[in-house]
């Protein structure tokens, strides 16, 4: 009877999700469509050039704010909202996306510091050149120097000097069918894998833990947390769309980045707690039966909520952003091959399912002590990754500044949240120190427990 009630509630929840998703997609129905990435880059160039014209009016605070607002509009309303950034990161490289994002920051920094118009214009010109180059690659015409020259010639013939006229008479560049297929597939596959892998690692580790310790009755809570994460991701995507319509895409984009940054730090706290809790159970090589009974007792309501909440955060953390990206990808043409986009999503989902199965099955074969150690260290690594990414999100929202680390020469590891910036590295170093301290403390504590149990067994 309870299962029937649960299934009914789950069905109602899924129906509500479908309706919400429909509303979410409908919000894009009346938005402007772009035929290719070149038209997006051209419109961004127009806005960025306007920001330079605004800055020429003076260096007072009001002018600076107006200039930064124009730059933010190009970034949040176009580069981020339309999926330009994520498409570049998936199809070209993550480093390229980071370089372009940093160029936006440098432009705003130059304005904030009151640099000369010439200096600001130099940065803006460099930025727009990067945008056009990336757009050409995404449209399948940037693979040779001649294609770039032909594209420039087309712009000159169509009246490049008048940017408003250019939009009315944009020269269609288009993609070849092969380029469209490759771009759509790689973008969808790469993004789904990158965002989904972290969630799968967290959920698989928790599931394997519960199965390994014969606590399968708690699995439903973890699965429910993941399902709720999907539901709240869709709900949050709708909220962001509504906020975007109400206050503008730039302000909404900044709010979204701040929210994602905070969510990252909450995830760090929850995963650090869970990893420490798992680590405390690692001394079980000889005393597995005793430890198993203690584990059963230790999974109280509070810890169960922590596991379910960790599962929820794993999905919810990036879910809304992923939905918004594919929403924009579907709503705008931009040479998207719908078949190859869905193919990329499906194959990525299959790969993630395989990763999940491998982790759970492999974990079942591990002795209890190595299992606890591996899962705990995995959680610690994710904590380090989320700490760096949380700061990165806040930097994108201009909440925090950024100090480049010269000796890293731009080296970054997107998956681990490692970026060549002092502000992202500092919390990661702190997390690393906390991880080492936790490992040492738990190791010493487990040795004491083992010695005590050996003594008690020897007296029997």
């Amino acid at each position: 009877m309870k299962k029937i009630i649960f299934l009914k509630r789950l069905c109602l929840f899924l129906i509500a999700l479908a309706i919400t998703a429909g509303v979410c997609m409908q919000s894009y129905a009346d938005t402007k469509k772009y035929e290719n990435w070149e038209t997006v880059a051209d419109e961004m160039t127009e806005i960025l050039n306007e920001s330079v014209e605004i800055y020429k009016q003076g260096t007072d605070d009001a002018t600076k704010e107006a200039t930064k607002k124009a730059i933010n509009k190009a970034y949040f309303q176009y580069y981020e909202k339309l999926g330009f950034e994520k498409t570049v990161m998936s199809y070209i490289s993550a480093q390229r996306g980071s370089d372009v994002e940093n160029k936006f920051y440098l432009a705003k920094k130059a304005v904030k510091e009151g640099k000369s118009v010439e200096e600001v214009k130099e940065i803006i010109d460099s930025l727009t050149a990067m945008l056009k180059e990336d757009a050409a690659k995404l449209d399948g015409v940037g693979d040779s120097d001649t294609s770039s020259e032909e594209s420039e010639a087309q712009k000159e013939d169509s009246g490049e000097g008048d940017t408003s006229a250019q939009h009315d008479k944009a020269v269609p560049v288009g993609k070849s069918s092969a380029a469209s297929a490759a771009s759509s597939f790689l973008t969808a596959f790469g993004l789904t894998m990158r965002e989904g892998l972290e969630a799968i690692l967290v959920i698989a580790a928790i599931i394997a833990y519960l199965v390994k310790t014969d606590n399968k009755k708690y699995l439903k809570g973890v699965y429910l947390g993941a399902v709720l994460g999907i539901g709240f991701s869709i709900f949050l995507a709708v909220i962001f769309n509504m906020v975007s319509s109400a206050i503008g895409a730039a302000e909404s984009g900044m709010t979204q980045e701040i929210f994602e940054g905070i969510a990252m730090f909450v995830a760090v706290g929850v995963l650090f707690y869970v990893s420490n809790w798992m680590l405390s159970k690692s001394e079980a090589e000889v005393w597995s039966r005793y430890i198993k009974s203690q584990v059963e007792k230790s999974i109280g309501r509070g810890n169960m909520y922590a596991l379910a909440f960790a599962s929820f955060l794993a999905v919810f953390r990036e879910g809304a952003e992923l939905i918004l990206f594919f929403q924009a990808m579907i709503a705008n043409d931009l040479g998207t091959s719908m078949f190859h986009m869905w193919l990329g999503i499906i194959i990525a989902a299959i790969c993630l399912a395989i990763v999940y199965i491998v982790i759970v099955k492999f974990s079942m074969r591990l002795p209890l002590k190595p299992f606890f150690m591996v899962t705990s260290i995995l959680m610690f690594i994710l904590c380090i990754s989320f700490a760096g990414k949380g700061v990165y999100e806040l930097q994108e929202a201009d909440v925090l500044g950024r100090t480049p680390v010269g000796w890293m020469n731009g080296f970054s590891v997107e998956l681990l949240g490692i970026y060549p910036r002092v502000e992202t590295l500092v919390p990661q170093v702190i997390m690393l120190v906390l991880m080492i301290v936790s490992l040492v403390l738990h190791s010493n504590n487990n040795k004491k427990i083992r010695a005590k149990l050996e003594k008690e067994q020897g007296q029997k």
Side-chain angles (χ1 to χ4, degrees):
M1 186 67 182
K2 288 183 178 180
K3 288 185 177 180
I4 295 175
I5 294 173
F6 175 75
L7 289 174
K8 285 182 177 179
R9 290 177 178 176
L10 182 60
C11 288
L12 289 173
F13 179 72
L14 293 175
I15 291 171
L17 285 186
I19 295 173
T20 307
V23 174
C24 189
M25 292 302 300
Q26 183 62 33
S27 66
Y28 259 90
D30 300 324
T31 58
K32 182 176 179 179
K33 303 297 189 294
Y34 297 90
E35 61 182 17
N36 50 41
W37 288 111
E38 185 192 40
T39 57
V40 176
D42 286 342
E43 198 159 316
M44 291 178 68
T45 298
E46 182 179 345
I47 295 170
L48 290 168
N49 287 337
E50 286 176 359
S51 72
V52 176
E53 294 302 316
I54 294 172
Y55 191 63
K56 287 180 180 179
Q57 297 174 12
T59 56
D60 57 281
D61 291 341
T63 303
K64 287 181 180 179
E65 284 303 315
T67 304
K68 288 192 292 183
K69 186 174 182 179
I71 297 173
N72 279 332
K73 180 181 179 181
Y75 179 75
F76 289 110
Q77 188 169 328
Y78 292 83
Y79 196 62
E80 188 171 83
K81 184 178 180 180
L82 296 180
F84 200 164
E85 179 182 29
K86 290 191 180 299
T87 305
V88 167
M89 294 175 72
S90 298
Y91 188 65
I92 299 177
S93 73
Q95 183 59 52
R96 178 64 171 188
S98 180
D99 289 343
V100 174
E101 187 273 332
N102 190 57
K103 191 69 72 172
F104 274 100
Y105 166 76
L106 292 176
K108 289 183 286 187
K109 182 182 178 183
V111 171
K112 182 179 179 180
E113 295 176 351
K115 300 291 185 180
S116 67
V117 174
E118 289 73 20
E119 290 176 290
V120 173
K121 188 177 186 304
E122 183 180 354
I123 297 174
I124 293 295
D125 288 344
S126 174
L127 172 57
T128 55
M130 294 172 75
L131 293 171
K132 290 180 179 180
E133 181 183 340
D134 292 348
K137 289 182 180 179
L138 296 179
D139 285 332
V141 298
D143 298 328
S144 66
D145 294 335
T146 55
S147 62
S148 297
E149 292 170 1
E150 290 172 0
S151 178
E152 289 299 321
Q154 286 178 334
K155 292 177 187 176
E156 291 175 1
D157 293 340
S158 63
E160 174 76 320
D162 185 357
T163 53
S164 60
Q166 175 191 343
H167 275 292
D168 295 334
K169 302 184 292 183
V171 178
V173 177
K175 288 184 183 179
S176 65
S177 58
S180 175
S183 175
S184 301
F185 176 81
L186 291 174
T187 299
F189 177 81
L191 187 62
T192 304
M193 280 296 295
R194 186 171 66 244
E195 304 296 351
L197 185 59
E198 292 173 345
I200 286 296
L201 290 175
V202 173
I203 295 172
I206 294 173
I207 295 299
Y209 171 81
L210 293 175
V211 173
K212 187 78 171 177
T213 56
D214 289 334
N215 284 291
K216 296 180 181 180
K217 62 182 179 180
Y218 297 111
L219 292 176
K220 185 170 71 174
V222 178
Y223 290 133
L224 183 60
V227 172
L228 288 175
I230 297 173
F232 275 87
S233 294
I234 296 175
F235 175 74
L236 189 63
V238 174
I239 295 298
F240 281 140
N241 279 324
M242 293 172 63
V243 171
S244 178
S245 299
I247 66 176
E251 289 77 6
S252 173
M254 294 178 70
T255 302
Q256 182 179 337
E257 298 288 1
I258 293 171
F259 178 85
E260 290 171 1
I262 294 173
M264 288 283 190
F265 290 124
V266 173
V268 169
V270 174
L271 290 182
F272 188 77
Y273 168 78
V274 171
S275 61
N276 270 282
W277 180 53
M278 288 184 174
L279 196 61
S280 67
K281 308 296 181 292
S282 63
E283 187 57 56
E285 187 173 21
V286 178
W287 311 98
S288 58
R289 184 177 299 177
Y290 172 83
I291 292 295
K292 186 178 292 185
S293 67
Q294 295 304 307
V295 169
E296 172 70 30
K297 292 177 183 177
S298 70
I299 302 184
R301 179 169 296 182
N303 287 328
M304 190 57 246
Y305 285 155
L307 292 177
F309 189 49
S311 175
F312 169 81
L313 282 176
V315 176
F316 176 62
R317 187 182 50 80
E318 290 288 355
E321 186 177 3
L322 197 61
I323 291 170
L324 288 172
F325 170 76
F326 286 118
Q327 182 185 19
M329 195 173 180
I330 293 170
N332 288 284
D333 183 8
L334 293 173
T336 300
S337 169
M338 298 303 296
F339 171 77
H340 289 91
M341 184 198 78
W342 285 110
L343 182 64
I345 295 173
I346 292 170
I347 293 179
I350 293 172
C351 291
L352 290 173
I354 292 173
V355 170
Y356 170 83
I357 293 171
V358 169
I359 291 175
V360 174
K361 294 296 183 182
F362 175 73
S363 299
M364 294 303 98
R365 297 183 179 182
L366 281 176
L368 214 54
K369 181 176 179 179
F371 167 77
F372 281 125
M373 290 294 292
V374 169
T375 51
S376 298
I377 291 173
L378 173 62
M379 293 289 188
F380 277 131
I381 292 173
L382 289 173
C383 283
I384 293 173
S385 173
F386 292 170
K389 291 181 178 180
V391 173
Y392 185 87
E393 297 288 353
L394 295 179
Q395 287 178 326
E396 284 193 324
D398 292 335
V399 174
L400 297 175
R402 60 189 77 181
T403 307
V405 181
W407 58 267
M408 291 184 69
N409 294 320
F411 174 79
S412 63
V413 182
E414 177 72 19
L415 185 62
L416 296 177
I418 298 174
Y419 307 99
R421 303 172 184 177
V422 172
E423 292 80 7
T424 59
L425 292 174
V426 168
Q428 289 181 316
V429 171
I430 293 174
M431 288 305 306
L432 181 61
V433 171
L434 289 175
M435 181 183 79
I436 294 172
V437 170
S438 294
L439 288 171
V440 172
L441 290 177
H442 283 298
S443 177
N444 292 335
N445 186 53
N446 285 335
K447 287 179 181 178
K448 292 179 181 179
I449 293 174
R450 187 184 181 94
K452 180 180 178 181
L453 291 173
E454 288 176 342
K455 183 178 180 180
E456 288 176 355
Q457 288 293 317
Q459 292 174 351
K460 291 181 181 180

